[in-house]
Coordinates of all heavy atoms in Angstrom, one line a residue:
V202 N -86.9 -22.2 10.2 CA -87.9 -22.5 11.3 C -89.2 -23.1 10.6 O -90.0 -23.7 11.3 CB -88.3 -21.3 12.2 CG1 -87.1 -20.9 13.0 CG2 -88.9 -20.2 11.4
G203 N -89.3 -22.9 9.3 CA -90.5 -23.5 8.7 C -91.6 -22.4 8.6 O -91.6 -21.5 9.4
H204 N -92.6 -22.7 7.8 CA -93.7 -21.7 7.6 C -94.8 -21.7 8.6 O -95.7 -20.9 8.6 CB -94.2 -21.7 6.1 CG -93.2 -21.2 5.2 ND1 -93.1 -19.8 4.9 CD2 -92.1 -21.8 4.5 CE1 -92.1 -19.6 4.1 NE2 -91.5 -20.8 3.8
N205 N -94.7 -22.7 9.6 CA -95.8 -22.7 10.6 C -95.5 -21.7 11.7 O -96.3 -21.4 12.6 CB -95.9 -24.1 11.2 CG -96.4 -25.0 10.2 OD1 -97.2 -24.6 9.3 ND2 -96.1 -26.3 10.4
I206 N -94.3 -21.1 11.7 CA -93.9 -20.1 12.7 C -93.9 -18.7 12.0 O -93.3 -18.5 11.0 CB -92.5 -20.4 13.3 CG1 -92.6 -21.8 14.1 CG2 -92.1 -19.3 14.2 CD1 -91.3 -22.2 14.8
V207 N -94.7 -17.8 12.7 CA -94.8 -16.5 12.1 C -93.6 -15.6 12.6 O -93.4 -15.6 13.8 CB -96.2 -15.8 12.5 CG1 -96.3 -14.4 12.0 CG2 -97.3 -16.7 12.1
L208 N -92.9 -15.0 11.7 CA -91.8 -14.1 12.1 C -92.4 -12.7 12.3 O -93.1 -12.2 11.5 CB -90.8 -14.1 11.0 CG -90.1 -15.4 10.6 CD1 -88.9 -15.1 9.7 CD2 -89.6 -16.1 11.9
V209 N -92.0 -12.1 13.5 CA -92.4 -10.7 13.8 C -91.2 -9.8 13.6 O -90.2 -9.9 14.3 CB -93.0 -10.6 15.2 CG1 -93.2 -9.2 15.6 CG2 -94.3 -11.4 15.3
D210 N -91.4 -8.9 12.6 CA -90.4 -7.8 12.4 C -91.2 -6.6 12.8 O -92.2 -6.2 12.2 CB -90.1 -7.9 10.9 CG -89.4 -6.6 10.4 OD1 -89.1 -5.8 11.2 OD2 -89.2 -6.5 9.2
S211 N -90.6 -5.9 13.8 CA -91.4 -4.8 14.4 C -91.4 -3.5 13.6 O -92.0 -2.5 13.9 CB -90.9 -4.5 15.8 OG -89.5 -4.3 15.8
A212 N -90.7 -3.5 12.4 CA -90.5 -2.3 11.7 C -91.8 -1.6 11.3 O -92.0 -0.4 11.4 CB -89.7 -2.5 10.4
E213 N -92.8 -2.4 10.8 CA -94.1 -1.8 10.4 C -94.8 -1.2 11.6 O -95.4 -0.1 11.5 CB -95.0 -2.9 9.8 CG -94.7 -3.1 8.3 CD -95.6 -4.2 7.7 OE1 -96.7 -4.3 8.1 OE2 -95.0 -5.0 6.9
E214 N -94.8 -1.9 12.7 CA -95.4 -1.4 13.9 C -94.7 -0.1 14.4 O -95.4 0.9 14.8 CB -95.4 -2.4 15.0 CG -96.1 -2.1 16.3 CD -97.6 -2.0 16.2 OE1 -98.1 -2.5 15.2 OE2 -98.2 -1.4 17.1
I215 N -93.4 0.0 14.2 CA -92.7 1.2 14.6 C -93.1 2.4 13.7 O -93.3 3.5 14.2 CB -91.1 0.9 14.5 CG1 -90.7 -0.1 15.6 CG2 -90.3 2.2 14.7 CD1 -89.4 -0.8 15.2
A216 N -93.2 2.1 12.4 CA -93.6 3.1 11.5 C -95.0 3.7 11.8 O -95.2 4.9 11.9 CB -93.6 2.6 10.1
R217 N -95.9 2.7 12.2 CA -97.3 3.2 12.6 C -97.2 4.0 13.8 O -97.8 5.1 13.9 CB -98.1 1.9 12.9 CG -99.0 1.5 11.7 CD -100.0 0.5 12.1 NE -99.5 -0.8 12.6 CZ -99.1 -1.8 11.9 NH1 -99.2 -1.7 10.6 NH2 -98.6 -2.9 12.5
E218 N -96.4 3.6 14.8 CA -96.3 4.4 16.0 C -95.7 5.8 15.7 O -96.1 6.8 16.3 CB -95.4 3.6 17.1 CG -95.3 4.3 18.4 CD -94.7 3.5 19.5 OE1 -94.8 2.3 19.4 OE2 -94.1 4.1 20.4
T219 N -94.7 5.8 14.8 CA -94.1 7.1 14.5 C -95.1 8.1 13.9 O -95.1 9.3 14.3 CB -92.9 6.9 13.5 OG1 -92.0 5.9 14.1 CG2 -92.1 8.2 13.3
V220 N -96.0 7.6 13.0 CA -97.0 8.4 12.4 C -97.9 9.0 13.5 O -98.2 10.2 13.6 CB -97.8 7.6 11.4 CG1 -99.0 8.5 10.9 CG2 -96.9 7.2 10.2
V221 N -98.3 8.1 14.4 CA -99.2 8.5 15.5 C -98.6 9.6 16.4 O -99.2 10.6 16.7 CB -99.6 7.3 16.4 CG1 -100.4 7.7 17.7 CG2 -100.5 6.3 15.6
V222 N -97.3 9.3 16.8 CA -96.6 10.3 17.7 C -96.4 11.6 17.0 O -96.6 12.7 17.6 CB -95.3 9.7 18.1 CG1 -94.4 10.7 18.9 CG2 -95.5 8.5 19.0
L223 N -96.1 11.6 15.7 CA -95.9 12.9 15.0 C -97.2 13.6 14.9 O -97.3 14.9 15.1 CB -95.4 12.6 13.5 CG -93.9 12.3 13.4 CD1 -93.5 12.0 12.0 CD2 -93.0 13.3 14.0
E224 N -98.3 12.9 14.6 CA -99.6 13.5 14.5 C -100.0 14.2 15.8 O -100.4 15.3 15.9 CB -100.7 12.5 14.1 CG -100.6 12.0 12.7 CD -101.2 12.9 11.7 OE1 -101.6 14.0 12.1 OE2 -101.1 12.5 10.5
R225 N -99.8 13.3 16.9 CA -100.3 13.8 18.2 C -99.5 15.0 18.7 O -100.0 15.8 19.4 CB -100.1 12.6 19.2 CG -101.0 12.6 20.3 CD -101.0 11.4 21.2 NE -99.7 10.9 21.4 CZ -99.4 9.6 21.5 NH1 -100.3 8.7 21.5 NH2 -98.1 9.2 21.7
S226 N -98.2 15.0 18.4 CA -97.4 16.2 18.9 C -97.4 17.3 17.9 O -96.7 18.3 18.1 CB -96.0 15.7 19.2 OG -95.5 14.9 18.1
G227 N -98.2 17.2 16.8 CA -98.3 18.3 15.8 C -97.0 18.5 15.0 O -96.7 19.6 14.5
L228 N -96.2 17.4 14.9 CA -94.9 17.6 14.3 C -94.8 16.9 12.9 O -93.8 16.9 12.2 CB -93.8 16.9 15.1 CG -93.5 17.7 16.4 CD1 -92.5 16.9 17.3 CD2 -92.9 19.0 16.1
R229 N -95.9 16.4 12.4 CA -95.9 15.8 11.0 C -95.9 16.9 9.9 O -96.7 17.8 10.0 CB -97.1 14.9 10.9 CG -97.1 14.2 9.5 CD -98.1 13.1 9.5 NE -98.0 12.4 8.2 CZ -98.7 11.4 7.8 NH1 -99.6 10.9 8.6 NH2 -98.6 10.9 6.6
R230 N -95.1 16.7 8.9 CA -95.1 17.6 7.8 C -96.4 17.6 7.1 O -97.0 16.5 6.9 CB -94.0 17.2 6.8 CG -92.6 17.7 7.2 CD -91.7 17.5 5.9 NE -91.7 18.7 5.2 CZ -90.7 19.6 5.1 NH1 -89.5 19.3 5.7 NH2 -90.7 20.7 4.4
R231 N -96.8 18.7 6.6 CA -98.1 18.8 5.9 C -98.0 18.8 4.4 O -99.0 18.6 3.7 CB -98.9 20.0 6.4 CG -99.4 19.8 7.9 CD -100.6 18.8 7.9 NE -100.6 18.2 9.3 CZ -100.9 16.9 9.4 NH1 -101.1 16.1 8.4 NH2 -100.9 16.4 10.6
D232 N -96.8 19.2 3.9 CA -96.7 19.4 2.5 C -96.4 18.0 1.8 O -96.0 17.1 2.4 CB -95.5 20.3 2.2 CG -94.3 20.1 3.1 OD1 -94.4 19.3 4.0 OD2 -93.3 20.8 2.9
T233 N -96.7 18.0 0.5 CA -96.4 16.8 -0.3 C -95.1 17.0 -1.1 O -95.1 17.9 -1.9 CB -97.6 16.4 -1.3 OG1 -97.9 17.6 -2.0 CG2 -98.8 15.8 -0.6
R234 N -94.1 16.3 -0.7 CA -92.8 16.4 -1.3 C -92.1 15.2 -1.1 O -92.5 14.3 -0.3 CB -92.0 17.6 -0.7 CG -91.7 17.3 0.8 CD -91.4 18.4 1.6 NE -90.0 18.8 1.6 CZ -89.0 18.2 2.3 NH1 -89.2 17.3 3.1 NH2 -87.8 18.7 2.2
Q235 N -91.0 14.9 -1.8 CA -90.1 13.8 -1.5 C -89.1 14.2 -0.4 O -88.3 15.1 -0.7 CB -89.5 13.3 -2.8 CG -88.7 12.0 -2.6 CD -89.6 10.8 -2.0 OE1 -90.7 10.6 -2.3 NE2 -89.0 10.2 -0.9
G236 N -89.2 13.6 0.7 CA -88.2 14.0 1.8 C -86.8 13.5 1.4 O -86.6 12.6 0.7
S237 N -85.8 14.2 2.0 CA -84.4 13.8 1.8 C -84.0 12.7 2.7 O -84.6 12.5 3.7 CB -83.5 15.1 1.9 OG -83.6 15.5 3.3
E238 N -82.9 12.1 2.3 CA -82.3 11.0 3.1 C -80.8 11.2 3.2 O -80.1 11.3 2.2 CB -82.5 9.6 2.4 CG -84.0 9.3 2.2 CD -84.2 8.1 1.3 OE1 -83.3 7.5 0.8 OE2 -85.4 7.8 1.1
T239 N -80.4 11.3 4.5 CA -78.9 11.5 4.7 C -78.4 10.5 5.6 O -79.1 10.2 6.7 CB -78.7 12.9 5.3 OG1 -79.4 13.9 4.6 CG2 -77.2 13.3 5.3
F240 N -77.3 9.8 5.3 CA -76.8 8.7 6.1 C -75.4 9.2 6.7 O -74.6 9.8 6.0 CB -76.6 7.5 5.3 CG -77.9 7.0 4.6 CD1 -78.3 7.4 3.4 CD2 -78.7 6.2 5.3 CE1 -79.5 7.0 2.8 CE2 -79.9 5.7 4.8 CZ -80.3 6.2 3.5
F241 N -75.2 8.8 8.0 CA -74.0 9.1 8.6 C -73.4 7.7 9.1 O -74.2 6.9 9.6 CB -74.1 10.0 9.8 CG -74.7 11.4 9.4 CD1 -76.0 11.6 9.6 CD2 -73.9 12.3 8.9 CE1 -76.5 12.9 9.3 CE2 -74.4 13.6 8.6 CZ -75.7 13.9 8.8
V242 N -72.1 7.5 9.0 CA -71.5 6.3 9.5 C -70.2 6.8 10.3 O -69.7 7.9 10.0 CB -71.1 5.3 8.5 CG1 -72.3 4.6 7.9 CG2 -70.3 5.9 7.3
T243 N -69.8 6.0 11.2 CA -68.6 6.4 12.0 C -67.3 5.7 11.6 O -66.3 5.8 12.2 CB -68.9 6.1 13.5 OG1 -69.3 4.7 13.7 CG2 -70.0 7.0 14.1
D244 N -67.4 4.9 10.5 CA -66.2 4.3 10.0 C -66.4 4.2 8.4 O -67.5 4.5 7.9 CB -66.0 2.8 10.6 CG -64.5 2.5 10.5 OD1 -63.8 3.1 9.8 OD2 -64.2 1.5 11.2
I245 N -65.4 3.8 7.7 CA -65.4 3.9 6.3 C -66.8 3.4 5.7 O -67.2 2.3 6.1 CB -64.3 3.1 5.5 CG1 -63.9 1.9 6.4 CG2 -63.1 4.0 5.3 CD1 -63.0 0.9 5.6
P246 N -67.4 4.2 4.8 CA -68.8 3.9 4.4 C -68.9 2.7 3.4 O -70.1 2.3 3.2 CB -69.2 5.2 3.6 CG -68.1 6.2 3.8 CD -66.9 5.4 4.3

Side-chain angles (χ1 to χ4, degrees):
V202 298
H204 286 274
N205 292 333
I206 295 180
V207 180
L208 299 187
V209 170
D210 163 5
S211 53
E213 275 178 38
E214 184 66 18
I215 293 157
R217 265 193 297 275
E218 184 170 333
T219 306
V220 173
V221 170
V222 171
L223 285 179
E224 291 282 0
R225 209 170 40 211
S226 47
L228 289 174
R229 181 166 181 181
R230 279 194 90 110
R231 289 287 152 220
D232 40 358
T233 48
R234 65 197 274 276
Q235 186 54 47
S237 64
E238 299 171 0
T239 312
F240 301 91
F241 301 100
V242 286
T243 52
D244 206 343
I245 36 169

